[in-house]
Amino acid sequence: GNSVTQMEGPVTLSEEAFLTINCTYTATGYPSLFWYVQYPGEGLQLLLKATKADDKGSNKGFEATYRKETTSFHLEKGSVQVSDSAVYFCALSSNNDYKLSFGAGTTVTVRA
Amino acid sequence: ETGVTQTPRHLVMGMTNKKSLKCEQHLGHNAMYWYKQSAKKPLELMFVYNFKEQTENNSVPSRFSPECPNSSHLFLHLHTLQPEDSALYLCASSQTSGTQETQYFGPGTRLLVL
């Protein structure tokens, strides 16, 4: 079946630091890959996505590249801000099932 | 209004109460979902509706009763809940034209069962 594994948190950083959150997956076929973000007290928001190998999703300074050879979709941001403090979820949907499989979430706290 | 809305945003209920959560999507999607998000646990998919028909029930206790009168509205009826049912309940919608469509989430209802 489908599964997503992402690095455990919590992660605490200083402003302007580099952020990486690792995500690897197991899936049949050619899944689409997503990063969702959940700010305190809110629901999940789509941050970025990639639908095929070597695609790079990007938004708000965050990037993630779909790596089929390593079955990974790591999230990166070069210079984080306090407003990036949130829980980040990696997810996938496979090409024979429209449901999403989520990772456990990684809590990121950015300090001024 | 745009996107996915949920009401109420916060709910406190006793174990003998009956209440309902409402979700409405303004995106023209055909599929809707209920998720449960508890502290320290992964996101749990509860129910899936596609074109108003329930296509998934992930072994959810019968004290949770979903209703989908049309593709834009989804309800979760609650009765005789337990304290361990306290959680954030998230609604989402998507367009299932084929596969791999993005799900859009509402802000959630924070439920506390006393």
Side-chain angles (χ1 to χ4, degrees):
Chain A
N2 298 334
S3 68
V4 176
T5 302
Q6 61 182 104
M7 65 184 282
E8 291 188 20
V11 174
T12 303
L13 302 165
S14 297
E15 256 190 328
E16 300 183 3
F18 184 85
L19 171 68
T20 298
I21 304 176
N22 290 340
C23 172
T24 57
Y25 67 89
T26 302
T28 55
Y30 302 94
S32 286
L33 302 172
F34 306 82
W35 276 101
Y36 281 84
V37 58
Q38 185 177 31
Y39 298 105
E42 299 183 13
L44 275 68
Q45 300 175 26
L46 177 68
L47 181 59
L48 53 85
K49 72 176 185 181
T51 58
K52 61 182 187 296
D54 299 325
D55 267 2
K56 177 185 284 188
S58 61
N59 186 25
K60 299 182 181 180
F62 289 90
E63 292 184 340
T65 301
Y66 188 142
R67 301 286 188 200
K68 188 169 174 60
E69 63 276 15
T70 54
T71 61
S72 65
F73 193 55
H74 305 321
L75 183 68
E76 297 181 338
K77 185 172 185 180
S79 177
V80 294
Q81 305 299 312
V82 172
S83 56
D84 294 323
S85 298
V87 182
Y88 292 83
F89 293 91
C90 186
L92 72 82
S93 69
S94 60
N95 59 2
N96 59 357
D97 187 354
Y98 52 81
K99 297 191 299 294
L100 288 176
S101 297
F102 283 92
T106 302
T107 300
V108 173
T109 302
V110 181
R111 294 179 175 168
Chain B
E1 291 197 69
T2 58
V4 181
T5 58
Q6 290 186 243
T7 55
R9 292 293 308 275
H10 301 274
L11 178 62
V12 179
M13 59 187 289
M15 289 190 285
T16 58
N17 291 157
K18 287 186 180 181
K19 297 286 184 184
S20 295
L21 310 185
K22 179 182 176 182
C23 175
E24 184 173 1
Q25 60 96 0
H26 309 270
L27 301 168
H29 292 162
N30 59 277
M32 298 188 77
Y33 312 77
W34 278 118
Y35 289 87
K36 177 182 178 183
Q37 187 178 32
S38 305
K40 310 293 184 188
K41 283 186 167 183
L43 206 60
E44 300 173 51
L45 178 64
M46 300 174 72
F47 301 104
V48 181
Y49 279 81
N50 194 12
F51 291 103
K52 302 188 299 177
E53 299 298 320
Q54 186 180 118
T55 57
E56 183 130 352
N57 175 340
N58 275 341
S59 304
V60 181
S62 60
R63 57 186 184 270
F64 294 91
S65 175
E67 178 190 0
C68 188
N70 55 61
S71 292
S72 299
H73 294 86
L74 184 64
F75 295 89
L76 189 62
H77 304 299
L78 315 172
H79 61 99
T80 59
L81 293 192
Q82 303 299 310
E84 61 264 28
D85 297 322
S86 299
L88 180 68
Y89 289 85
L90 292 165
C91 173
S93 71
S94 73
Q95 184 64 31
T96 60
S97 56
T99 58
Q100 303 173 352
E101 295 297 335
T102 302
Q103 288 186 21
Y104 293 85
F105 285 78
T109 295
R110 176 73 61 185
L111 174 67
L112 177 61
V113 181
L114 300 176

